[in-house]
Amino acid sequence: MARLAVNVDHVATVREARGIQEPDPVLAAGIAELAGADGIICHLREDRRHIKDRDLTLLRQVVRTRLNMEMAAVDEMVEIAREVCPDLVTLVPEKREELTTEGGLDVKSNPRHYEEVVGRLREKGIEVSFFLDPDPDQIETAHRIGAQIVEIHTGHYSEAASEMEFGERFERIVNAAKRTADLGLAVSAGHGLNYTNVKRFKALPQVEEYSIGHSIVSRAVLVGLEQAVKDMIALVKDL
Ligand code: PXP
């Protein structure tokens, strides 16, 4: 039975569209937990385009499940994480001009830097996850430098244009998840997952946790957040 962690970034996106105080991602996190979510995720971006420092601080105080902070592996964020102490940090690549996280992290490009970041976070008891494309070389490097979790990037799978492409891209995720689990790391998956494309993951019991935001917040606008979270939990618990 897999777990669902709910990303509340896009509640903050709606707030920022007006530049006022609502809707509040912290309240959303509470509702998601009451609806049964196993964890709450937020991405404090360097440009603070949605989640703000205040949100992260309050989420740390309010979240009763597990708080996962997504962040770039840069000094400023490492210092904030060491101060706030989320249960888990997910290291993601970040480009200023991107609409959302576009690809997995390229750990292979600079393993020594990432190893140092892992060390600084582990010192504070924070678990470290790497957001990676389904690429065995990246996964093996992350394992070697101390990752505890690999979150497999499902964005390319979710954007497949045909059944054949869905099948091929899913196959890469299957192989990556198996390799990650064989290395003894926990496997998560996320990005672009929705109420339809998540169902294929029934074939992949290695995935322990799903990280889902946009599709849940989109449904919440129409049916309410509690209902939207419950609908996704019903799917994820069946995987
Ligand atoms: N996982 C990671 C690492 C992400 O950066 C995001 C997007 O913030 C998600 C999961 C959730 O993606 P989505 O909002 O498409 O569900």
Side-chain angles (χ1 to χ4, degrees), residues 7 9-10 70 90 92 100-101 131 151 190-192 211-214:
N7 181 316
D9 291 354
H10 296 307
E70 289 178 6
T90 300
V92 300
T100 178
T101 316
F131 182 57
E151 180 180 334
H191 211 284
S211 159
I212 306 182
H214 190 267

Side-chain angles (χ1 to χ4, degrees), residues 156-166 169:
H156 302 296
Y157 158 76
S158 73
E159 286 162 9
S162 65
E163 246 330 285
M164 203 175 86
E165 231 172 50
F166 266 117
R169 293 180 184 190

